[in-house]
C-alpha cells in the first residue's frame, strides 16, 4: 500500500495503466477506481468491494469522446451532461451492441460520470480511457470520506490511496435516460426538477 499526493498524477496514471486499484477523493465521496479495459480488472474490483457481480459499475470519464464508441449519447443526454458536468451526476445511457458484457452486464445500459475534481480529471485526460469507479467501501458499509477511512477499509487489498478527503459526502444523483424518458434512481444534490428544466 502506498499513499500518493494529488500532484503525483503521472504515478497515478502509471498504476492505473498497470491495472491497479486506487482509492481517491472526489467532490462526492471517496472513489475506488480501476481501468475499465479488461474483465479481470472488473473481477478484482468486485472481489475487493465484496460486491454482487451482477451490479454494474459507473464509468468515470473526463469527456464524452471517451465513451461515444460504446454508448449512445443523444442530444438530450448531451444537454444534461453539459449543464451538470463536471459534477455530482451519474447518467445511465443505452449501450451499443458491441460493448463488453462486463460493462453493461447484459442490461443494455451503462452509467457515466464526469467528476468535478481537477485531480481526477487530469488523470482521466492522461489515461484517455474510462475508469470503473464505485464508492470506496465494502458493500453495505458507509462510503469512505477520507484517506484514513479508505485505508481502514482496504489496507493491503488495493495498491494505492491518494491523500485527501471528499467534499460533500453526498453520493451523486443517478438518472436513467431511455430515449426521451428520464427516470430518477437516486437523488443527490442535483434534483429531478433541475434536470427536467433542461429537457
Amino acid at each position: 500500500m502506498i499513499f500518493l499526493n494529488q500532484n503525483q498524477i503521472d504515478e497515478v496514471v502509471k498504476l492505473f495503466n498497470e491495472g491497479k486499484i486506487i482509492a481517491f477523493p472526489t467532490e462526492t465521496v471517496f472513489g475506488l477506481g480501476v481501468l475499465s479495459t479488461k474483465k479481470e480488472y472488473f473481477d478484482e474490483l468486485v472481489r475487493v468491494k465484496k460486491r454482487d457481480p451482477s451490479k454494474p459499475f459507473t464509468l468515470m470519464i473526463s469527456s464524452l469522446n471517451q465513451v461515444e464508441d460504446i454508448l449512445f449519447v443523444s442530444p438530450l443526454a448531451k444537454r444534461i451532461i453539459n449543464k451538470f458536468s463536471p459534477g455530482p451526476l451519474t447518467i445511465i445511457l443505452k449501450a451499443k451492441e458491441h460493448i463488453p458484457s462486463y460493462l453493461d452486464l447484459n442490461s443494455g445500459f451503462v452509467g457515466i460520470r464526469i467528476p468535478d475534481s481537477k485531480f481526477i480529471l487530469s488523470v482521466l485526460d492522461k489515461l484517455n480511457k474510462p475508469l470503473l469507479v464505485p464508492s470506496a467501501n465494502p458493500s453495505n458499509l458507509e462510503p469512505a470520506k477520507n484517506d484514513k477511512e479508505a485505508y481502514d477499509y482496504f489496507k493491503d487489498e488495493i495498491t494505492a490511496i491518494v491523500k485527501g478527503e471528499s467534499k460533500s459526502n453526498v453520493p451523486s444523483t443517478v438518472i436513467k435516460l431511455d430515449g426521451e424518458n428520464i427516470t430518477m434512481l437516486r437523488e443527490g444534490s442535483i434534483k429531478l426538477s433541475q434536470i427536467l428544466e433542461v429537457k
Side-chain angles (χ1 to χ4, degrees), residues 43-101:
D43 291 339
E44 182 65 4
L45 195 55
V46 167
R47 185 191 70 77
V48 167
K49 280 272 295 180
K50 300 178 174 62
R51 177 169 159 136
D52 179 350
S54 68
K55 289 179 68 176
F57 291 118
T58 296
L59 290 177
M60 191 169 273
I61 61 175
S62 61
S63 66
L64 286 175
N65 61 20
Q66 292 177 347
V67 291
E68 285 186 307
D69 58 334
I70 58 170
L71 303 179
F72 290 103
V73 185
S74 67
L76 175 58
K78 286 184 179 177
R79 289 200 302 276
I80 294 171
I81 291 164
N82 289 337
K83 172 74 173 177
F84 297 105
S85 298
L89 176 70
T90 298
I91 181 167
I92 298 171
L93 300 174
K94 191 168 177 57
K96 295 184 177 178
E97 288 182 4
H98 66 275
I99 191 172
S101 60

Side-chain angles (χ1 to χ4, degrees), residues 128-139:
N128 198 30
K129 289 172 279 214
L131 293 171
L132 297 168
V133 184
S135 56
N137 57 286
S139 287

Side-chain angles (χ1 to χ4, degrees), residues 3-4 9 24 62 75 77 102 112 164 171 198:
F3 283 88
L4 298 168
I9 289 168
F24 56 89
S62 61
Y102 67 88
I112 59 170
V198 180

Side-chain angles (χ1 to χ4, degrees), residues 76-170:
L76 175 58
K78 286 184 179 177
R79 289 200 302 276
I80 294 171
I81 291 164
N82 289 337
K83 172 74 173 177
F84 297 105
S85 298
L89 176 70
T90 298
I91 181 167
I92 298 171
L93 300 174
K94 191 168 177 57
K96 295 184 177 178
E97 288 182 4
H98 66 275
I99 191 172
S101 60
Y102 67 88
L103 291 182
D104 75 335
L105 298 180
N106 301 309
S107 69
F109 289 86
V110 176
I112 59 170
R113 184 164 105 78
I114 302 174
D116 190 11
S117 160
K118 184 179 176 183
F119 156 72
I120 197 61
L121 286 175
S122 296
V123 169
L124 288 161
D125 279 341
K126 286 207 168 190
L127 283 170
N128 198 30
K129 289 172 279 214
L131 293 171
L132 297 168
V133 184
S135 56
N137 57 286
S139 287
N140 301 317
L141 295 177
E142 287 293 310
K145 299 183 288 292
N146 53 51
D147 48 76
K148 181 186 182 302
E149 291 182 4
Y151 177 78
D152 289 342
Y153 276 150
F154 299 109
K155 295 188 170 68
D156 294 325
E157 292 276 312
I158 63 177
T159 298
I161 295 175
V162 178
K163 292 179 187 174
E165 57 184 282
S166 53
K167 291 180 183 171
S168 73
N169 298 321
V170 177

